[in-house]
Amino acid sequence: MTKQEWRNKTTITKFILLGFGNGPELDSLLFLMILSIYIVTITGNIFIIVLTVANRHLHTPMYFFLGNLACLEICYSSNILPRMLLSYLCRDRSISVSGCFTQYYFFGCLAAAECYLLAAMSYDRYLAVCKPLHYPSHMNGKLCLQLGATSWIGGFLANSILTFLISKLDFCGPNEIAHFFCDSFPMIKLSCSDTHVVGLVISVVAGVCSLPPFLLTFSSYLYIIVTVMRIPSATGRKKAFSTCSSHLLVVILFYWSILTVYVLPHRDTQVSPNKIFSVFYTILTPLVNPLIYSLRNKEVREALQKHTSKFLALRGLISVKKGR
């Protein structure tokens, strides 16, 4: 039997996502915990989208990007969490090879798009704080649409190349992925093909998708901090920095977890640091984004209070009519 014939006979059709290596007794607890996180994530991000669309005072570039980010986080969570819920509910951690490629494709696309989108949001805050007189003319509707479209399209185009290359690899076994979702390096580690070129391309594309946005974001906030510190009054500094502090928290959480995953060495333990820190940018970041923006943002709180008051007034009017 030739080598190629042996490969054809042993080609795997499904992967096993090992997750965190927990026992069956924890499946119910993890299912309830992840289900709660997923419901809160989807509800919170839909709330942000509806609020920014319904309130005309929030029809600004900042909230345009925030609405895009909320939409991205919904897609991000829906790409990973439902599959985890199904595995804990049915106690079946298998996923087809094509399904694994699909999950990785959307994960990579959305991760790259988030890098670009966070950079666009930091540029918006830079113009608002450092160049307030030129902000209305520079950050106009056309530029907002261009930046938003570039973020989405750029992310999807970049990862299309990587997914195509990984899909061309041969997988002969073993088929156990030491992660809770389908990621590039855990997958190519299982390939029986030569993966040096694919690994190099993944590193290059990942660098192109993350390093320039990170540098732009870092530079923007460096200029913002310098500009804010030059404001003579403490009240003025607080007011200026409050316009971008929420976004800065999101950026720190996202990039800190991403960089930690790729800086720490890989280990073969059941619950490696890479898995733990992956939880931050795949599960916790989409969860805390709407909480950070709603609790720390004055405009969002005011819009929420306004719509809540209208809802209660309408409900009271309906009750009065029914009483009659």
Side-chain angles (χ1 to χ4, degrees):
M1 183 181 292
T2 65
K3 184 178 180 181
Q4 184 61 42
E5 290 174 340
W6 173 257
R7 279 186 176 182
N8 289 339
K9 287 183 176 295
T10 58
T11 298
I12 61 176
T13 59
K14 62 175 63 176
F15 291 115
I16 306 296
L17 293 170
L18 296 181
F20 296 100
N22 52 284
E25 65 278 1
L26 295 178
D27 285 354
S28 298
L29 177 62
L30 286 171
F31 173 81
L32 293 175
M33 184 174 66
I34 294 173
L35 179 62
S36 301
I37 291 175
Y38 184 56
I39 292 174
V40 173
T41 299
I42 298 300
T43 303
N45 283 287
I46 289 178
F47 160 76
I48 292 292
I49 294 173
V50 172
L51 198 62
T52 54
V53 171
N55 194 297
R56 61 183 181 85
H57 296 291
L58 300 183
H59 292 177
T60 62
M62 176 181 175
Y63 294 101
F64 169 78
F65 293 124
L66 177 57
N68 275 266
L69 182 63
C71 182
L72 187 147
E73 301 293 21
I74 291 173
C75 299
Y76 208 45
S77 297
S78 298
N79 182 49
I80 295 176
L81 297 189
R83 184 66 194 80
M84 293 180 65
L85 290 172
L86 185 63
S87 67
Y88 287 122
L89 182 64
C90 303
R91 296 186 179 180
D92 180 11
R93 303 191 182 187
S94 64
I95 182 172
S96 66
V97 173
S98 60
C100 199
F101 290 155
T102 302
Q103 187 184 61
Y104 166 68
Y105 171 70
F106 284 106
F107 161 74
C109 292
L110 295 168
E114 183 159 1
C115 290
Y116 294 138
L117 192 57
L118 290 175
M121 295 176 73
S122 68
Y123 178 66
D124 170 71
R125 292 299 85 204
Y126 160 75
L127 290 178
V129 175
C130 301
K131 300 182 181 295
L133 297 179
H134 301 283
Y135 179 73
S137 59
H138 282 59
M139 190 56 69
N140 51 44
K142 182 179 179 181
L143 181 59
C144 290
L145 290 174
Q146 289 175 343
L147 291 175
T150 301
S151 299
W152 286 92
I153 296 173
F156 275 78
L157 287 179
N159 204 53
S160 298
I161 302 172
L162 301 184
T163 306
F164 174 78
L165 292 176
I166 294 176
S167 67
K168 294 300 179 182
L169 296 175
D170 293 316
F171 295 91
C172 313
N175 66 339
E176 294 181 339
I177 298 178
H179 217 315
F180 59 88
F181 71 99
C182 296
D183 201 0
S184 56
F185 286 113
M187 278 197 295
I188 66 174
K189 187 178 180 181
L190 302 179
S191 174
C192 50
S193 305
D194 184 4
T195 60
H196 289 90
V197 175
V198 177
L200 179 62
V201 173
I202 289 175
S203 299
V204 171
V205 174
V208 170
C209 291
S210 60
L211 189 57
F214 172 74
L215 293 176
L216 177 60
T217 303
F218 177 80
S219 302
S220 298
Y221 278 103
L222 185 62
Y223 278 109
I224 289 172
I225 292 173
V226 171
T227 301
V228 170
M229 295 306 295
R230 290 176 178 173
I231 298 176
S233 66
T235 304
R237 288 195 298 269
K238 182 179 179 180
K239 182 179 179 181
F241 195 71
S242 66
T243 63
C244 56
S245 58
S246 299
H247 180 239
L248 182 59
L249 285 174
V250 173
V251 168
I252 291 174
L253 179 63
F254 179 76
Y255 276 111
W256 171 69
S257 56
I258 285 283
L259 294 176
T260 302
V261 166
Y262 289 99
V263 168
L264 287 177
H266 295 281
R267 296 171 184 162
D268 294 328
T269 56
Q270 282 188 317
V271 183
S272 70
N274 285 351
K275 293 180 187 177
I276 298 299
F277 284 105
S278 294
V279 171
F280 283 91
Y281 63 85
T282 57
I283 298 177
L284 294 185
T285 300
L287 173 67
V288 301
N289 274 355
L291 298 177
I292 289 175
Y293 280 110
S294 60
L295 295 178
R296 292 184 57 85
N297 196 290
K298 182 180 178 181
E299 289 84 357
V300 172
R301 292 198 303 268
E302 290 178 350
L304 177 60
Q305 292 173 358
K306 181 179 179 181
H307 284 279
T308 302
S309 300
K310 286 184 177 180
F311 173 75
L312 293 176
L314 180 62
R315 186 176 178 181
L317 181 61
I318 294 175
S319 299
V320 170
K321 289 182 178 181
K322 285 184 177 180
R324 290 178 181 177

